Every structure is written in structure tokens, then in C-alpha cells.
Amino acid sequence: MEESLQVEVLWMNLCLLESLFRCLKRRVFLSQLAQLTGPLRIEASSTGSNSTISKIVNMVEDAQGREAPIQRLADTIAGPFVYSVMTLSAATFGFWYYIGSNIFPDVLLNDIAGPEGDPLLLSLKLAVDVLVVSCPCALGLATPTAILVGTSLGARQGLLIRGGDVLERLASVDHVMLDKTGTLTEGKPAVSAITSLGHEELEILQIAAAVEKTTSHPIAHAIISKAESLNLSIPVTRGQLAEPGSGTMAEVNGLLVAIGKLKWVQERFQQKTDLSDLMTLEQSVMHKSLQDSQSSNHSTTVVYVGREGEGVIGAIAISDKLREDAESTIRRLQHKGIETVLLSGDREEAVATVAKTVGIKDKFVNASLTPQQKSAAISGLQASGHRVAMVGDGINDAPSLALADVGIALQVEGQETAASNAASIILLGNRLSQVLEALDLAQATMAKVHQNLSWAVAYNAVAIPIAAGVLLPIFDFAMTPSLSGGLMAMSSIFVVSNSLLLQFHGSQKKRKENLTYKHTQKEQ
């Protein structure tokens, strides 16, 4: 008994020593790791179900479950088709048993009638052939298989498509409306110039940053970043008020300060700035901005700063570089016969400059628009019978994205925004050229749908009469049930295989583009 107790105590001591050794070893390892790489801090910002990748998976699954309108047409046809085939089968039996075998007695010599030339056997086999060879499955599979492949291929290309109905609408789009800031431009604006009327420029920037502190617009980020880079102390504000598409207002140091469009800022205060001073202010800020950025690939937006009791006291120029693929995307859209329209809340001069650079016609340029006016422009085109796609990235574009036939949102830095929530398609790559990729994919997918439906209709239109014995009196040819079953299976296999060929759409497109590029280089 004592020996067993001693063994147990010894065992416990050994276990304790092993634990202490492991702890010591772990502490040494962690201390070495800290010396090599520094402390490691991990913070979980959301649960797995709320993560970006989880939301993408859910959206793709939802998209593949949403029917395109053309699918509902196929489903509507498939129901009556089944009853029609059953009726044709009964009619085939009745015809050959009561009429056909008497009018065409030679058909009883065919092997299908058996060695004794039995009209009952002949009629039964032909009636069964009609039932077996008919293929409503091809009609039912024609659309969903193509939509499934199309949405999956889009997800691999960074195109998050919310459903087959979106692909069908996008394939027929004839007008593409584009926002300017963050869509045609990179959405990374920076302060390029500051001017004022009787105040220090740093004071203008300071109070502007205070007002914009609580907003999320790219222009606000540019102003705040500039103020922080100059180590300016940003005052605390009260009573923040934002009007989308116009500006923001708040109380700074006991006085109301407004920043935004000139007309909107002027209307906020009873004290008005002279028109001549405003013109001088605008010319000065634009001149300084042009000196800072000589490239024509920059878009300049001017926001005005006003203060209670003084009116407009300064202006800030915000420059944003055009996307590298903006001009080529617009040109290729126009080459496809799609009209490109520019909708912007910015002033006319800045919008006109961008439109000219990327190649949008003057008659399709709309400036100084509020979010409501953007939506009205889309509604006007839709009322005229046009299919409209809207491309945007910000909260001001959300109403237009929801109203358009197809809303396309560029996702910036993987963030979920009001624009991405309202859009039908999200461009995860944040590239404007993905609009073309989405359009090409939609057209290729719908082409596959039409091919599948055409095959399904043509197959049944040809196979059912042959199975019913149309060729039997003249060519002495009739199907057997086994042959009918094989043809029916082949019809479904063809539809599925044709849809799967859509996976090669991207590689075929790239090869064509490379060949076109090489041909252009040779000509040059």
C-alpha cells in the first residue's frame, strides 16, 4: 500500500516537473518571438457569419436561386408541353392501331411490329417512343444551368451578381450612366489649393476640417487628411447637419460654418459675399490648383466655406486623378453601341473637362445635380423605353443605383456601403473596366440561354414527329424505345454541356483582345 502511494506521489511530481518545463519553454519561446517580431495583437471585428467572405458566399448562393424572367417563360411552356406530349402519345396509338396500319399495311413488315406484324405492338411502341423521346428537361435546364455557370464565373472574376434576372437586364442595357467622383476618378482626392477672403488659409482649412470631421464623403477625407498632415488642432463641433449632394453645416466656436457648393453655402447665411469677390476667389483657387497639378488626367472640385455673419470666406480645391481605365472603358462601351452619360453633382466646368478627357459627348453631360435630379434623369430614359445601368460608388449614388435597371457599384477597400447594398452588381476589383466584363458576361450568358432554348425547341419539334412514325410509311424507319431514351438523355446532356462551355468565355475573350492589340501594334 505504501509502495503504491509512493509511486503515485512520484508520478505526480514527474507530471508537475513536465508542466513546469513546458511553461518555461513556452515563456522562453514567446520572449524570443517578441524579440524577433514584436508583440502580436489580434482583434476580431465581427463574427464569421458577418465577415466579407461569408456575405459574398451568401450573395452568390442567393443569386443562383433567383430566376431570370426568361426562366419563368420556359417553366410556363414546360407544364402544357407535358400534357401535349401525353395527348400526342395517345393520338399516335389511336392513329396507328385504327387507321395507319390499314392505310399503310407495309408498316407491319417493320421489325417494330414484331415477327407477326401485330398492329397493337406497333402502336404501343410508337406511343411509348413519343413519351420517351420528348424532353421537357431540356427546356427546364436551358436557363438555370447557364445562369449557374454565369454567376459562378462572375464571382471568380470579382463580379458579385445578385441574380439571373440581373444578367438578363444587363444584357439588354443601351445606356450606361456614370458618376464622376470615385467612379471615373480614383476616389482618392487631395487638397490642391486653398484661398480665402481676408483670413489665414490655415484657418479656412481648420474650420472646414472641423465641419467635415463626422462625414464620410471622399472630399471630407481629403480636407481632414490635409489638416492632420499640417498638425492643425481641429475644433469640436455641435449640431452637425448634412444635405447629400450639397454640403455640410455645423457650429464651430459658437458660429455656424457651412462647407459645400457655392449656391448652397450662400443660402445658409443672411450675410452675402459680393459677386466680384466670389469670382476672384474662384479664379484664384483654380489658378493655384492648376499650378499644383499640370496633368489633364486630374479632376478638380471646388468647395466653398462660409461662416455666420461673414458669408463665403474661402474656397478649397480638391483634385482627384482619373482612373487609368476610364477612357478605354468609355470608348469600348461606345464601340458596343451603348450611350455613356455622365451624371455629377460637381460644377459644370470640372465635369465638362472630365467628359472631354474620357470621350463623353457634350449632350450626355449633366452637372450640378442633386441625388434626386440624378434619379429623375434615369427615370426619364426609362420612360422613353431605354434600359439603363448606373455606375457609382457613394451614398449619393444609392438612390440612382436602386432605381436603374441595373445598379453597378465599385467596392472601395472592401467596405460595405450604401451604394453596394443598393446595387445589383458589385465590382469587387474596384476597376471601371469590370463594367465591360460584367456586360460581356451577361451577353454571353444570355446567348447560351437562347442557344439552349433553341436546341430544346428544335429537338422536340423534330424528334417527336419521327418517334410518332412520320418516316415509317416512306422510309420504313421507326425509333425503338431504347433509341428514344438515348436521344432524350443526349438532349439534356447537350444543354448542360453547352452551358459549361461558358466557363471558357474569359479565356476566349482575352485571346481575342490580345490578337486585336497585336494587330493594332502592327498597323502603328
Side-chain angles (χ1 to χ4, degrees):
M1 184 71 179
E2 292 180 358
E3 292 180 357
S4 62
L5 182 61
Q6 289 177 355
V7 171
E8 289 181 5
V9 172
L10 180 60
W11 176 254
M12 291 175 64
N13 289 334
L14 287 173
C15 291
L16 180 61
L17 287 173
E18 184 181 5
S19 300
L20 290 173
F21 176 74
R22 286 180 178 177
C23 291
L24 180 62
K25 185 177 179 181
R26 181 172 177 269
R27 290 185 63 182
V28 171
F29 171 74
L30 290 175
S31 63
Q32 291 176 346
L33 182 64
Q35 292 175 359
L36 291 173
T37 61
L40 177 64
R41 181 179 179 181
I42 300 175
E43 179 181 354
S45 59
S46 64
T47 61
S49 60
N50 293 325
S51 63
T52 300
I53 187 64
S54 178
K55 291 179 180 178
I56 290 174
V57 171
N58 291 334
M59 290 179 68
V60 172
E61 290 177 349
D62 292 342
Q64 292 174 347
R66 286 175 56 177
E67 291 185 351
I70 196 170
Q71 172 65 30
R72 290 192 288 272
L73 174 63
D75 292 342
T76 302
I77 296 173
F81 174 79
V82 172
Y83 294 109
S84 300
V85 169
M86 295 174 66
T87 302
L88 286 173
S89 176
T92 299
F93 176 85
F95 173 80
W96 287 110
Y97 186 73
Y98 294 105
I99 302 174
S101 57
N102 296 321
I103 299 176
F104 309 107
D106 291 343
V107 299
L108 298 176
L109 301 176
N110 192 286
D111 293 339
I112 196 172
E116 297 179 2
D118 188 354
L120 177 61
L121 182 61
L122 173 70
S123 304
L124 281 174
K125 285 186 175 180
L126 291 177
V128 170
D129 286 342
V130 172
L131 288 174
V132 174
V133 81
S134 62
C135 191
C137 305
L139 282 172
L141 293 172
T143 302
T145 54
I147 296 298
L148 180 67
V149 176
T151 51
S152 300
L153 181 59
R156 289 198 295 271
Q157 294 177 350
L159 308 171
L160 201 53
I161 303 167
R162 293 188 186 271
D165 54 332
V166 176
L167 286 172
E168 184 172 353
R169 293 197 303 269
L170 181 60
S172 59
V173 159
D174 56 11
H175 278 71
V176 173
M177 322 283 275
L178 301 110
D179 177 47
K180 182 178 76 69
T181 304
T183 302
L184 289 178
T185 64
E186 292 182 347
K188 300 177 181 178
V191 175
S192 57
I194 305 172
T195 57
S196 65
L197 296 173
H199 295 78
E200 293 291 333
E201 293 180 358
L202 292 182
E203 181 184 359
I204 300 297
L205 179 61
Q206 189 178 36
I207 62 175
V211 175
E212 297 284 22
K213 186 69 175 178
T214 58
T215 62
S216 58
H217 196 277
I219 290 178
H221 290 165
I223 293 173
I224 295 168
S225 298
K226 183 67 174 180
E228 291 177 345
S229 68
L230 297 175
N231 296 321
L232 297 179
S233 61
I234 301 177
V236 178
T237 60
R238 294 175 52 191
Q240 192 83 15
L241 176 66
E243 186 172 328
S246 296
T248 309
M249 185 169 64
E251 184 180 322
V252 182
N253 298 327
L255 296 174
L256 287 177
V257 175
I259 176 171
K261 292 182 178 179
L262 177 59
K263 182 180 179 181
W264 186 83
V265 173
Q266 277 275 69
E267 292 175 350
R268 299 309 101 189
F269 309 108
Q270 294 181 351
Q271 182 71 28
K272 308 295 183 184
T273 305
D274 291 339
L275 182 59
S276 59
D277 291 338
L278 292 176
M279 293 181 63
T280 302
L281 185 67
E282 181 178 5
Q283 292 174 358
S284 176
V285 74
M286 288 302 299
H287 179 70
K288 291 177 67 175
S289 178
L290 289 174
Q291 287 181 334
D292 179 73
S293 175
Q294 297 293 335
S295 174
S296 61
N297 287 333
H298 281 77
S299 168
T300 302
T301 300
V302 178
V303 294
Y304 294 85
V305 181
R307 187 157 58 185
E308 186 179 0
E310 299 178 83
V312 177
I313 59 174
I316 302 176
I318 312 292
S319 295
D320 195 4
K321 187 178 180 181
L322 287 177
R323 291 178 181 267
E324 293 181 357
D325 56 353
E327 184 178 355
S328 60
T329 300
I330 298 300
R331 185 175 64 252
R332 290 168 63 186
L333 284 171
Q334 293 171 347
H335 182 70
K336 285 178 170 290
I338 298 174
E339 297 291 354
T340 52
V341 183
L342 180 56
L343 303 177
S344 177
D346 206 347
R347 59 192 184 88
E348 294 183 4
E349 295 82 359
V351 177
T353 301
V354 171
K356 183 177 180 181
T357 303
V358 300
I360 297 178
K361 301 175 183 178
D362 292 340
K363 65 178 181 178
F364 295 124
V365 177
N366 302 272
S368 302
L369 299 180
T370 63
Q372 293 77 14
Q373 290 173 328
K374 288 183 179 181
S375 299
I378 293 174
S379 298
L381 283 174
Q382 290 174 327
S384 302
H386 296 289
R387 281 292 182 96
V388 181
M390 173 68 190
V391 187
D393 71 309
I395 188 172
N396 293 342
D397 303 320
S400 300
L401 292 170
L403 179 63
D405 295 293
V406 180
I408 304 175
L410 293 102
Q411 190 172 52
V412 182
E413 298 177 355
Q415 298 178 353
E416 186 174 347
T417 63
S420 60
N421 288 332
S424 305
I425 298 176
I426 303 174
L427 308 182
L428 300 179
N430 191 26
R431 293 182 288 106
L432 192 61
S433 58
Q434 286 186 295
V435 174
L436 279 165
E437 295 176 10
L439 184 62
D440 289 338
L441 178 61
Q443 293 174 342
T445 301
M446 295 315 299
K448 288 296 181 184
V449 170
H450 294 143
Q451 290 170 12
N452 291 344
L453 289 174
S454 299
W455 162 260
V457 172
Y459 164 81
N460 285 287
V462 173
I464 290 176
I466 294 176
V470 169
L471 301 181
L472 189 56
I474 303 176
F475 298 100
D476 194 29
F477 174 80
M479 291 185 184
T480 60
S482 58
L483 177 61
S484 301
L487 290 175
M488 185 274 293
M490 184 197 70
S491 176
S492 299
I493 291 172
F494 175 87
V495 168
V496 174
S497 301
N498 190 47
S499 297
L500 290 174
L501 290 175
L502 187 61
Q503 295 183 69
F504 301 103
H505 165 71
S507 57
Q508 291 175 353
K509 182 174 173 293
K510 287 181 180 179
R511 284 198 295 270
K512 289 181 180 179
E513 289 179 350
N514 291 335
L515 290 172
T516 304
Y517 176 77
K518 291 179 180 179
H519 181 69
T520 305
Q521 291 294 103
K522 287 181 180 180
E523 289 181 349
Q524 292 177 350

